[in-house]
Amino acid sequence: MTVRPKPIAQPQPRRLGSAFWLIVLDILAIATWGVLLLKYWLTGKLNVLLHPNYMWLANTAGICLLALSLIKAVQLLQITTQRSARNHFRSLPTMQHFSLFPRGWSSAMLLAVAVFGLQFTPQPFASEVALNRGVTDTLAMTRSQPQSFRSTTSPEERSVIDWIRTLDVYPEPDAYTGQQANVEGFVIHPPELPENYLMISRFVITCCAADTYPVGLPVKLEGSRSTYPQDTWLRVKGSMITETLDGQRHLTIQASELEEIEEPENPYEY
């Protein structure tokens, strides 16, 4: 009786485990965030999110994230081409750190937020946010203030924030009566002001969009403010006067000329 040897079973290729796809998800999340930061930089939209002093951090982070994702992708490709790739992924620990979410959820959420950011174009704050936060003609005590301030520009060359800084140092509005004003900003219709007044305002950013706050000056018009809808950008020329508004004395621009202008590329003051 002839005994035939049993054929040697050929090892069947096994699919890589879930650890492989978790690593792929991590790489995608890192790369997408890098692309997002660089996109905002190259399109100039980072201006409405960060103070210029901190933009280099975001730009550097975007470059580093892309470089890291590329390194990780190359390493992953090298591992998957090895015969021991299956054992490598099987030997990975099931839990590398404490997390409130199941494995992969954090990376998935980061990826989803980054993808949403790629579809979303940041927009500067407008009148609704300004009214909610409260428009002031002074710098609050909790915000950065100059220890001393001396204006080196003529009154008609001062911006809105220059006037606010000047008032913050010497807040007597009568001291500026008759001085010429030439400022640019967006229109707000504060409900406490009469119909022939509007507020010309700018947002000031100290670090990022989360800490921006609005400042502005009242503008006295010859007619109704309905001619100038909210969020319209204007160049206002006139002279300074003192008006009592809502029970308080305010430095006010007596408008002699109002010109509608385009929203600037960088709408914030610093």
Side-chain angles (χ1 to χ4, degrees):
M1 180 177 181
T2 304
V3 178
R4 296 181 180 179
K6 293 182 179 180
I8 300 175
Q10 297 295 324
Q12 297 297 320
R14 297 178 63 182
R15 296 181 179 180
L16 297 175
S18 61
F20 170 81
W21 299 109
L22 290 175
I23 295 175
V24 171
L25 187 62
D26 290 341
I27 293 174
L28 287 175
I30 294 172
T32 308
W33 269 101
V35 171
L36 176 64
L37 291 175
L38 293 181
K39 175 194 173 185
Y40 284 168
W41 172 31
L42 296 175
T43 58
K45 292 303 181 180
L46 205 56
N47 292 331
V48 301
L49 298 174
L50 286 177
H51 190 285
N53 290 347
Y54 305 103
M55 287 185 185
W56 68 272
L57 287 172
N59 300 337
T60 303
I63 295 173
C64 290
L65 288 174
L66 278 180
L68 179 62
S69 64
L70 180 61
I71 293 172
K72 290 295 184 181
V74 171
Q75 292 176 347
L76 183 64
L77 182 62
Q78 292 174 344
I79 292 173
T80 54
T81 56
Q82 299 173 0
R83 292 185 177 181
S84 60
R86 181 181 68 250
N87 294 330
H88 174 85
F89 289 110
R90 290 176 62 186
S91 64
L92 288 178
T94 56
M95 181 62 72
Q96 298 181 7
H97 57 82
F98 292 103
S99 175
L100 296 176
F101 304 102
R103 295 183 66 195
W105 279 35
S106 297
S107 296
M109 287 189 290
L110 286 173
L111 179 60
V113 172
V115 170
F116 174 78
L118 289 173
Q119 308 299 321
F120 173 75
T121 301
Q123 298 295 330
F125 292 130
S127 59
E128 182 178 357
V129 176
L131 289 172
N132 290 335
R133 296 190 178 185
V135 186
T136 67
D137 58 0
T138 183
L139 299 177
M141 293 299 293
T142 56
R143 294 159 182 160
S144 60
Q145 299 185 36
Q147 296 299 317
S148 62
F149 175 77
R150 181 178 298 173
S151 178
T152 58
T153 59
S154 58
E156 59 270 16
E157 294 178 343
R158 292 174 187 161
S159 64
V160 171
I161 190 62
D162 289 334
W163 279 107
I164 299 302
R165 288 178 177 144
T166 304
L167 279 171
D168 196 59
V169 174
Y170 190 69
E172 175 49 57
D174 289 339
Y176 312 102
T177 299
Q179 293 188 10
Q180 297 301 302
N182 183 4
V183 299
E184 297 179 357
F186 64 92
V187 174
I188 300 177
H189 295 169
E192 66 273 11
L193 295 185
E195 282 299 311
N196 61 325
Y197 288 84
L198 57 79
M199 187 78 74
I200 194 75
S201 182
R202 296 291 290 264
F203 276 98
V204 180
I205 185 171
T206 57
C207 178
C208 63
D211 61 22
T212 56
Y213 60 95
V215 295
L217 293 170
V219 178
K220 187 176 183 179
L221 308 172
E222 295 296 335
S224 173
R225 64 187 182 187
S226 60
T227 308
Y228 308 99
Q230 291 197 117
D231 298 323
T232 302
W233 279 81
L234 295 177
R235 179 180 294 114
V236 180
K237 296 181 181 180
S239 58
M240 289 300 188
I241 60 175
T242 300
E243 291 285 283
T244 300
L245 302 170
D246 198 25
Q248 295 182 347
R249 297 167 65 248
H250 290 274
L251 184 65
T252 304
I253 304 175
Q254 175 69 68
S256 60
E257 181 180 342
L258 294 96
E259 177 187 357
E260 186 171 344
I261 60 174
E262 294 290 333
E263 178 181 313
E265 182 178 350
N266 190 348
Y268 294 146
E269 292 274 13
Y270 307 107

